[in-house]
Amino acid sequence: MTLIEVYADVWCPFAHVGLHTVVDRRRQLERKDILLRIRAWPLELINGAPLDPATTKEHVNELRAQVAPDLFADFDLDHFPHTSLPALALAAAAYRESDHAGEAVSLALRDALFEKGQDISNPGVLALIAEEYGVASGPEDIEAVVAEWHQGQSRGVRGSPHFICGSAEAFCPSLDISKGRDGHLQVRRNTQALDEFLQVCFPLVKRRP
């Protein structure tokens, strides 16, 4: 089994798109031997404040309109979490069980927020996800979140999502993001950059024609 490490926050919409893109590409390549090790990059600790819900909603709308019409189905601003730390801690607890469990819980948390409109800072929502996957988090998992953040700093992580695989690394390789003159983001898919990253990681990955 080979791991792609990804430093990302659970409420980052760009990471949601990037992770789904890699999962879809993995399915197309029939590479069941590849797993995502999604490490914590807690933006509220990095920035000293939680994400702004209105700004996140704007980014969700830009992503959905420009590159991801099939994502963010029921994103609900009224249920935007006030913190991502408990969710990141639950993902850390799942990774203590296994990499398969960790990936599954990490993706389920993001789908709960962005596809189901659930508040993943709500203990009841987290309890249901924990029960579904048979995991439980404790104080040591918050400590693990902070430790992964500091580890990411030492590894030169640039933001969420930052992909690392062996000697290869790339910040948000599946998207090109820029800001237009009107101040709004301009986003386009960059599957070539993603495949170039994967090709360095796994020489058996076939390039797109």
Side-chain angles (χ1 to χ4, degrees):
M1 193 64 64
T2 307
L3 296 178
I4 297 177
E5 296 178 88
V6 188
Y7 284 85
D9 205 343
V10 72
W11 57 10
C12 172
F14 303 99
H16 184 58
V17 174
L19 292 170
H20 267 279
T21 302
V22 172
V23 169
D24 290 343
R25 192 73 181 104
R26 178 178 64 185
R27 185 183 305 113
Q28 294 167 1
L29 293 166
E30 299 181 346
R31 293 297 300 265
K32 296 181 180 180
D33 58 314
I34 298 172
L35 281 177
L36 296 170
R37 184 39 162 109
I38 306 170
R39 299 189 180 276
W41 189 247
L43 293 171
E44 66 193 275
L45 299 182
I46 295 164
N47 299 328
L51 287 190
D52 176 56
T55 301
T56 305
K57 174 65 173 177
E58 183 177 346
H59 291 162
V60 164
N61 290 340
E62 290 164 338
L63 286 164
R64 184 163 48 198
Q66 297 178 51
V67 297
D70 55 330
L71 295 179
F72 307 106
D74 288 316
F75 178 72
D76 186 350
L77 194 61
D78 292 334
H79 292 93
F80 193 75
H82 64 273
T83 176
S84 69
L85 296 181
L88 291 171
L90 182 60
Y95 274 113
R96 283 196 287 107
E97 298 295 326
S98 71
D99 285 314
H100 282 93
E103 180 189 298
V105 169
S106 293
L107 297 176
L109 287 164
R110 289 166 169 83
D111 284 348
L113 170 60
F114 289 117
E115 307 303 328
K116 300 176 183 178
Q118 297 176 349
D119 177 0
I120 56 170
S121 64
N122 184 305
V125 172
L126 291 177
L128 288 175
I129 295 174
E131 181 180 4
E132 180 179 356
Y133 290 94
V135 298
S137 61
E140 68 274 18
D141 297 306
I142 290 291
E143 295 174 3
V145 168
V146 175
E148 286 197 334
W149 164 36
H150 291 314
Q151 180 193 61
Q153 289 177 312
S154 69
R155 300 177 76 180
V157 169
R158 295 168 51 195
S160 175
H162 191 113
F163 289 71
I164 300 174
C165 181
S167 62
E169 61 176 279
F171 172 68
C172 204
S174 63
L175 297 174
D176 284 340
I177 305 169
S178 60
K179 185 170 288 189
R181 293 182 178 179
D182 59 0
H184 293 290
L185 294 184
Q186 296 179 341
V187 191
R188 71 177 184 88
R189 292 276 188 182
N190 193 341
T191 53
Q192 180 178 351
L194 175 62
D195 274 3
E196 288 174 352
F197 170 76
L198 294 177
Q199 184 71 19
V200 174
C201 293
F202 315 110
L204 294 180
V205 171
K206 296 181 180 178
R207 294 184 184 273
R208 290 177 184 270

